[in-house]
Amino acid sequence: MSELGVMKILMVSPECAPFAKVGGLADMVSSLSLEMSAAKNDVRIFMPMYSSIKRDEGFELAIPTLSVHMGFGIEEFCSVWKRKHGNATVYFLEFNKFYGRKGIYNEGQDSYLDNDARFAFMCRASLDFCVAMNWIPDIVHCHDWTAGLIPIYLNTVFRDSVLGKSSSVFTIHNLQHQGIFNEHLLDYAGLPRYEIFHAKNCEAMGALNIVKGAIYNSTKITTVSPSYAKEIQTPEYGYGLDDVLRFKASDMVGILNGIDTNEWNPRFDKFAVAQYSISDMGGKLVNKGELQKRFGLKKSEKTPIFAVISRLYEQKGLDMLENIIDPLFENMDIQIVLLGAGERWLEESFERKLHKHKGKLGVYIGYNNELSHLIEAGADFFVMPSRFEPCGLNQMYSMAYGTVPIVRATGGLKDTVENYDEVGKAGTGFVFKDANASALYNTIGWACSTWYDRRDDYLMLQKNAMKKDFSWKKSSKKYMELYEWAKESRH
Ligand code: ADP
């Protein structure tokens, strides 16, 4: 360990809340950095300066001219801004050619066509930044494919540099996105293509696979839940990389994400209309009334509200919910609210259902953080039928808000929600195994009958869920151990 037990940790990520967020990755990078820096580590986050980031008075120019060295002898000049984030510091790479755009990865339905170059550039710039600052991290923590070239840089062009001893930790937030591109990206990145473009490094099926390269080259690998670490070693969940992951299994651990308990706490939630706690649940009903009003649902305390807040992609399994909406409303007295954005066909299918189920179904297509808090505070159940789920945050937010989760037994959902045990009177939610619409239908039915017929059991599940501790305390300790392990392993 470094002097006084303090580690120097560089987080490299395309997202960090509250500055730029698409999904749970942003929450994780933010919360983990806050925790690690509160524990006296020197934590610096490196990310692009997208034009959507609001530069408040906290922003300062850190490096007016950073030169970034790409392949073909290309040298680009950028600025780096900084801003405090708790005890951590976020460094924003300003390079408008790549990041002076509204989106992080895409605008509308289309990904930016130069994402390969944009994120290769971010990787190289993060290391040139360390050298320019004369700040040598013990750990470079790389998040998802976008930061995946860093472990390769550290093992090649930076091996004999001042960064040669820096360990890399690569976190897989979602194995579905692997950064598969033409191998010539390596030339632009200034990486030795002839040395590394082969099956035991970053080549897969004739193309460059950044995640594969990161798995081979990083000192340690993590996933965001223990179950997901196991699942991705199987062909079913491995997206073609299960063999590589099995090969590197002894260097991989799954550490569950925590949640930010300041941001997601029904006792202080500023976006809810009434605050509440496990000992005084009155406010939840007030939020329920407000939620029904906002979504134009029939005002009714006794009708349970089932909620969804999600990206609308195949992974999340919400096509299964869309499939059963009609029979659900025909056979059960329930309401459903959905907040989400993603694939256009799914957005449109939910919107179409609106007309058919007026007063029972509420749909908001888009991204809305405030509304997501009100939904957690006002709903009675939360539905997450994911086909796979590396960790998932909303099931944990839901439990904190006494909004009983209904989840599929996969990844982080399996690790955080305990199935309702009707006989033993235990559990924190409803868990089902099969990824199909009828399993989801039956489980919603089971939840609905619990609400109406076994009221005490519903209240028990709600209380059990609210008592769970999903704060970062435990997980950040595990990351600290992992960083120590990574540091010892790098020679
Ligand atoms: P993923 O990262 O796969 O999207 P997670 O459950 O880990 O899934 O994290 C999703 C995060 O994004 C949560 O904080 C959730 O509240 C938020 N979120 C997703 N969709 C929306 C939306 N449409 N509006 C507001 N917040 C959203």
Side-chain angles (χ1 to χ4, degrees):
M1 199 151 64
S2 317
E3 219 181 309
L4 301 170
V6 173
M7 275 219 191
K8 291 184 193 148
I9 302 158
L10 179 72
M11 299 273 178
V12 185
S13 169
E15 300 179 37
C16 176
F19 309 106
K21 170 170 165 173
V22 171
L25 163 65
D27 296 304
M28 186 274 194
V29 171
S30 165
S31 305
L32 180 61
S33 303
L34 291 174
E35 288 290 328
M36 287 295 162
S37 58
K40 305 252 179 301
N41 296 291
D42 181 356
V43 182
R44 306 184 183 192
I45 303 163
F46 191 88
M47 65 182 288
M49 174 71 100
Y50 308 106
S51 54
S52 55
I53 295 176
K54 287 186 199 75
R55 284 186 218 196
D56 60 21
E57 61 282 3
F59 277 74
E60 276 174 58
L61 190 59
I63 306 180
T65 315
L66 173 73
S67 43
V68 179
H69 304 90
M70 303 306 288
F72 310 116
I74 297 170
E75 188 179 9
E76 302 275 19
F77 299 98
C78 315
S79 304
V80 180
W81 293 78
K82 69 175 180 180
R83 192 191 189 286
K84 286 307 278 179
H85 184 54
N87 290 336
T89 308
V90 190
Y91 288 88
F92 297 89
L93 176 66
E94 186 177 51
F95 188 53
N96 286 337
K97 180 170 117 181
F98 282 157
Y99 314 120
R101 317 174 185 183
K102 274 189 252 134
I104 297 180
Y105 313 105
N106 57 299
E107 260 166 63
Q109 302 283 308
D110 301 319
S111 292
Y112 295 127
L113 292 175
D114 56 353
N115 275 348
D116 52 351
R118 293 173 75 226
F119 291 109
F121 190 82
M122 175 187 84
C123 291
R124 174 72 204 214
S126 70
L127 301 177
D128 286 341
F129 157 80
C130 293
V131 176
M133 297 273 286
N134 194 18
W135 183 79
I136 308 306
D138 297 300
I139 305 290
V140 185
H141 192 156
C142 316
H143 297 271
D144 266 354
W145 76 263
T146 48
L149 289 181
I150 293 173
I152 309 181
Y153 275 120
L154 289 174
N155 280 358
T156 54
V157 288
F158 282 88
R159 191 63 173 125
D160 296 323
S161 76
V162 285
L163 293 172
K165 286 272 168 57
S166 298
S167 309
S168 54
V169 170
F170 180 64
T171 294
I172 301 171
H173 293 263
N174 189 333
L175 190 60
Q176 193 176 23
H177 307 295
Q178 298 183 358
I180 298 172
F181 301 108
N182 186 291
E183 71 207 66
H184 291 288
L185 180 66
L186 295 172
D187 301 333
Y188 172 66
L191 284 163
R193 175 160 57 96
Y194 291 106
E195 207 181 289
I196 61 176
F197 189 66
H198 56 78
K200 286 251 171 316
N201 203 311
C202 57
E203 183 271 339
M205 315 241 263
L208 166 66
N209 184 315
I210 294 180
V211 167
K212 184 175 176 188
I215 293 168
Y216 267 116
N217 284 277
S218 53
T219 321
K220 299 293 166 201
I221 304 151
T222 75
T223 64
V224 285
S225 70
S227 286
Y228 193 59
K230 284 193 211 122
E231 285 171 355
I232 57 177
Q233 293 178 51
T234 66
E236 193 187 348
Y237 291 96
Y239 279 94
L241 294 182
D242 48 295
D243 53 344
V244 188
L245 288 159
R246 285 196 298 277
F247 177 73
K248 286 280 283 188
S250 60
D251 286 319
M252 177 163 71
V253 287
I255 303 174
L256 196 67
N257 282 343
I259 63 171
D260 182 338
T261 46
N262 291 321
E263 168 89 12
W264 292 96
N265 191 330
R267 279 158 64 210
F268 320 114
D269 195 320
K270 56 181 189 293
F271 300 125
V273 287
Q275 286 65 44
Y276 61 94
S277 66
I278 191 164
S279 53
D280 178 8
M281 293 292 285
K284 191 157 177 69
L285 267 185
V286 181
N287 290 309
K288 182 169 178 173
E290 177 65 18
L291 193 57
Q292 288 170 325
K293 196 167 113 200
R294 291 252 193 120
F295 277 95
L297 306 179
K298 197 173 134 231
K299 190 150 174 52
S300 160
E301 282 183 8
K302 85 169 204 331
T303 312
I305 303 182
F306 290 72
V308 173
I309 303 167
S310 183
R311 291 184 299 116
L312 300 178
Y313 290 97
E314 195 207 359
Q315 173 198 344
K316 301 293 180 180
L318 291 160
D319 49 307
M320 298 190 261
L321 180 68
E322 190 272 338
N323 234 290
I324 55 171
I325 274 206
D326 296 342
L328 278 175
F329 286 127
E330 265 157 44
N331 299 316
M332 300 175 205
D333 186 10
I334 62 171
Q335 297 179 341
I336 297 178
V337 295
L338 176 137
L339 163 64
E343 282 176 27
R344 195 65 202 125
W345 73 269
L346 196 51
E347 294 178 353
E348 282 170 357
S349 326
F350 278 113
E351 280 173 335
R352 271 197 299 275
K353 296 280 178 201
L354 262 178
H355 306 290
K356 204 163 166 193
H357 303 290
K358 264 211 162 102
K360 290 182 170 184
L361 173 66
V363 175
Y364 180 110
I365 298 297
Y367 188 92
N368 189 326
N369 184 46
E370 289 184 30
L371 188 56
S372 75
H373 282 255
L374 179 68
I375 292 175
E376 288 290 9
D380 301 298
F381 293 98
F382 194 88
V383 185
M384 244 174 132
S386 307
R387 290 194 167 82
F388 69 93
E389 193 58 77
C391 177
L393 292 171
N394 273 110
Q395 82 280 13
M396 293 190 266
Y397 300 156
S398 300
M399 286 189 266
Y401 282 68
T403 304
V404 176
I406 298 170
V407 303
R408 194 175 153 253
T410 182
L413 300 176
K414 187 168 154 186
D415 291 340
T416 50
V417 183
E418 292 151 44
N419 197 12
Y420 168 36
D421 176 352
E422 246 186 90
V423 181
K425 302 292 174 214
T428 56
F430 296 84
V431 184
F432 64 99
K433 285 209 172 71
D434 297 332
N436 61 48
S438 63
L440 176 61
Y441 179 88
N442 290 337
T443 312
I444 292 179
W446 187 25
C448 184
S449 72
T450 308
W451 171 268
Y452 282 112
D453 306 334
R454 295 177 299 284
R455 187 80 197 143
D456 288 347
D457 285 11
Y458 173 80
L459 295 173
M460 169 202 73
L461 293 173
Q462 192 177 48
K463 289 242 145 62
N464 289 350
M466 290 180 88
K467 279 189 209 148
K468 285 272 160 193
D469 177 8
F470 291 116
S471 67
W472 266 97
K473 252 181 268 132
K474 269 184 267 167
S475 302
S476 58
K477 196 164 160 271
K478 289 193 178 141
Y479 273 105
M480 202 59 221
E481 287 161 9
L482 170 87
Y483 289 160
E484 298 279 358
W485 183 36
K487 195 162 152 41
E488 280 160 24
S489 311
R490 177 84 173 165
H491 301 291

